Amino acid sequence: MSEKKYTKEHEWVEVDGDTATVGITNHAQESLGDIVFIDLPMIGKEVKSNEELCVIESVKAASDIYAPIDGEVIEINNNLNDDASIVNQDPEKDGWIFKMKISDPSQYNNLMTLEEYLASLEN
């Protein structure tokens, strides 16, 4: 597994071969509060970087989740259909949202490191 990378929209991305696993950061789940529903993306959906892919709803608000890089959705975390609060409990592991087959691996290099992401939260 490679290191996680992050987006300014508070998604994390972890790449294994040509597959990227995507979820939201701990900061994002803390900001949202208790998550009650996730409108998971369709398997087979082709997406471009920064394209709205699905919606996460909490008791406070609804928030869009964006594709961090170009690719095709190949798997969704069906456990979230039964218990969306998994994202609150473990946002950067068991609370992953979808996996995608990467179209352009070079885009991964444009995402932020953990240090860059944490610095962006302070601005």
Side-chain angles (χ1 to χ4, degrees):
M1 281 273 177
S2 59
E3 67 173 311
K4 281 191 176 109
K5 295 272 192 138
Y6 300 84
T7 71
K8 64 184 187 313
E9 290 83 21
H10 311 290
E11 289 100 13
W12 58 263
V13 184
E14 192 166 45
V15 172
D16 185 7
D18 65 352
T19 301
T21 302
V22 181
I24 64 168
T25 65
N26 190 54
H27 173 81
Q29 73 82 18
E30 285 177 349
S31 298
L32 284 166
D34 292 337
I35 294 168
V36 294
F37 178 74
I38 301 174
D39 182 17
L40 294 167
M42 296 291 298
I43 291 175
K45 181 172 175 66
E46 298 268 346
V47 292
K48 295 287 186 196
S49 174
N50 298 317
E51 185 178 321
E52 182 185 316
L53 191 52
C54 56
V55 177
I56 190 166
E57 295 179 16
S58 72
V59 292
K60 289 186 193 174
S63 183
D64 294 329
I65 297 175
Y66 299 90
I69 48 184
D70 296 356
E72 176 188 349
V73 176
I74 57 170
E75 188 178 343
I76 56 174
N77 188 345
N78 284 309
N79 294 329
L80 302 180
N81 286 325
D82 299 325
D83 186 5
S85 72
I86 295 169
V87 174
N88 290 119
Q89 296 157 22
D90 193 3
E92 296 200 34
K93 189 170 183 215
D94 292 341
W96 64 274
I97 297 171
F98 62 91
K99 294 185 180 185
M100 57 192 300
K101 183 173 175 55
I102 301 167
S103 300
D104 182 355
S106 69
Q107 291 178 326
Y108 183 70
N109 299 326
N110 299 331
L111 301 175
M112 291 184 278
T113 64
L114 178 59
E115 293 75 23
E116 291 167 333
Y117 175 70
L118 293 174
S120 77
L121 297 177
E122 295 171 8
N123 296 336

